[in-house]
Amino acid sequence: MIHGWCPTAWRPMAAGDGLLVRVRPRLGRLTREQMLGVCDAALARGSGLIDMTNRANLQIRGVAESNWEPLVAALVALGLVDPDPELEARRAILVAPQWAVGDDTHRIASELEHRLARLPDLPGKVGFAVDAGEAPVLHRDPADFRVERGASGGLILRADGRGTGAALAPGSEVDALIALAEWFVASGGRDAGRMARHHAPLPYWAAGAEHPGPPMAQPITRRHPVGAAQGLPFGRIDAETLRKSDAEAMRTTPWRIVIFEGAAHANATGVRLDADACVGAPACPQASVETRALATRLTPLIDGRLHVSGCAKGCARAAPADVVLTGRDGRYDLAFAARAGSVPTIPGLDAAQLLTYFGTA
């Protein structure tokens, strides 16, 4: 089953280990009080496991139906969930994590948050990106409507799937984002579901010829201007571990990396972050195979990017990978330079056969 929407706090999604409740931190940042509050809520109302998504959201796992309402009430009290479910559903805003108070990214994202009520009713997976730092960093991350740094140094409005965008006058950015979202709905974009699949000609004011600026090659390293960055294998951290951090605040990213503000150092994970694996079976009812333990064993044996998907949906990675394993009927289909669900080069392997194929028993 392919859902046409992403879970939110008010609209959780059922998984094999309970409900998934998604938290969308404003500006991708949690204060220390919010960080500890999420940990307490995940331990008291869920399994204690927290995932970070490719939209820099947090996802509390293992929530029982009877715990859902108390959990949401706690998240609302922390200021992490809007008490209005409709406004919460519109807060799909991905923010470049290097922002500083008062800069373009902070200014635009804050204004967009305050004007959510102006947005039209958009499809469930549609989102925004505010990438207004010195150089773009979110160019490979999912968003339908983008404000980003252009090649000429100014900011541009760019519709996803288009290589160029329109130059923006300072202060007009949020008006332009709202107008593009309104055009998307009015021109039949809801049927396409995503901007990249919507092929209607853009309005003249959004169809500029300005290219995005050269992207920043390595946006996050272990040391960071505001603290320390830590990688999360497969984007997961448990609440007990997170509680031990002495950070003043935490920023989320779409790259399975968290930034601990005010921290002198972060723990090394010892795990490469260029392997993608969904939660797999049994946590996901649509997966027929285990994913992450196998990915951990295979990653050191493979040159290039590995993607292990529990089913053909490919939730962990939409783009092609060098080596792709797709679960099907309890076994793995192997493909190269492909996406999950692609026609396999070698179908129907088990884990032992894969380990032997790539060089270990």
Side-chain angles (χ1 to χ4, degrees):
M1 180 186 300
I2 298 177
H3 296 284
W5 51 278
C6 295
T8 67
W10 289 109
R11 193 184 183 190
M13 185 178 289
D17 56 348
L19 297 177
L20 304 179
V21 177
R22 187 165 292 186
V23 180
R24 293 169 165 171
R26 289 171 173 82
L27 294 170
R29 183 179 186 270
L30 296 89
T31 65
R32 180 166 181 80
E33 178 187 5
Q34 290 173 328
M35 185 173 71
L36 295 178
V38 166
C39 292
D40 291 342
L43 290 166
R45 305 296 182 183
S47 65
L49 296 177
I50 302 170
D51 291 336
M52 191 162 61
T53 75
N54 64 358
R55 294 192 180 192
N57 300 147
L58 298 178
Q59 201 155 257
I60 298 173
R61 300 197 67 93
V63 179
E65 292 275 359
S66 59
N67 283 331
W68 168 63
E69 288 188 3
L71 172 63
V72 173
L75 296 172
V76 169
L78 287 166
L80 289 169
V81 170
D82 198 291
D84 182 338
E86 290 189 9
L87 289 182
E88 178 65 23
R90 299 179 183 187
R91 289 201 313 107
I93 306 171
L94 181 58
V95 179
Q98 289 89 339
W99 59 266
V101 174
D103 70 6
D104 284 335
T105 297
H106 177 266
R107 172 180 60 82
I108 296 164
S110 298
E111 182 182 346
L112 183 57
E113 281 270 5
H114 285 116
R115 298 178 65 185
L116 290 174
R118 287 282 314 279
L119 290 173
D121 184 20
L122 294 165
K125 289 184 177 289
V126 167
F128 300 81
V130 181
D131 195 9
E134 293 182 3
V137 297
L138 302 176
H139 53 291
R140 295 180 178 174
D141 301 302
D144 297 85
F145 314 109
R146 300 173 181 271
V147 169
E148 59 195 351
R149 189 64 59 184
S152 64
L155 294 177
I156 64 172
L157 172 71
R158 185 166 65 88
D160 196 38
R162 278 69 170 179
T164 60
L168 292 169
S172 69
E173 301 91 355
V174 175
D175 286 335
L177 283 171
I178 293 171
L180 189 57
E182 291 174 337
W183 167 85
F184 175 80
V185 172
S187 60
R190 289 189 60 83
D191 294 333
R194 300 299 301 271
M195 185 69 245
R197 298 196 296 262
H198 186 43
H199 302 302
L202 290 171
Y204 72 93
W205 49 266
E210 179 90 19
H211 287 273
M216 187 178 293
Q218 189 176 2
I220 298 290
T221 60
R222 250 188 107 187
R223 290 296 304 146
H224 190 271
V226 301
Q230 177 172 326
L232 305 180
F234 309 118
R236 172 165 291 181
I237 191 168
D238 67 88
E240 290 285 7
T241 299
L242 185 56
R243 280 189 62 84
K244 296 174 184 177
S245 170
D246 61 354
E248 300 167 1
M250 182 179 83
R251 297 192 189 192
T252 59
T253 79
W255 312 305
R256 299 196 291 259
I257 294 170
V258 292
I259 303 167
F260 291 117
E261 292 185 18
H265 62 85
N267 296 327
T269 64
V271 176
R272 281 169 46 180
L273 298 177
D274 58 352
D276 302 285
C278 64
V279 68
C284 177
Q286 301 191 53
S288 68
V289 294
E290 189 283 326
T291 54
R292 291 180 175 174
L294 180 61
T296 300
R297 296 186 68 183
L298 285 176
T299 299
L301 308 175
I302 292 173
D303 291 328
R305 187 130 195 161
L306 170 67
H307 179 193
V308 183
S309 183
C311 72
K313 287 171 59 179
C315 293
R317 181 176 176 83
D322 299 290
V323 177
V324 177
L325 303 174
T326 304
R328 181 173 56 85
D329 300 329
R331 300 177 79 84
Y332 303 85
D333 289 341
L334 171 63
F336 299 94
R339 293 179 172 85
S342 296
V343 176
T345 304
I346 306 175
L349 299 172
D350 62 24
Q353 290 171 322
L354 284 165
L355 290 166
T356 298
Y357 181 90
F358 286 105
T360 187

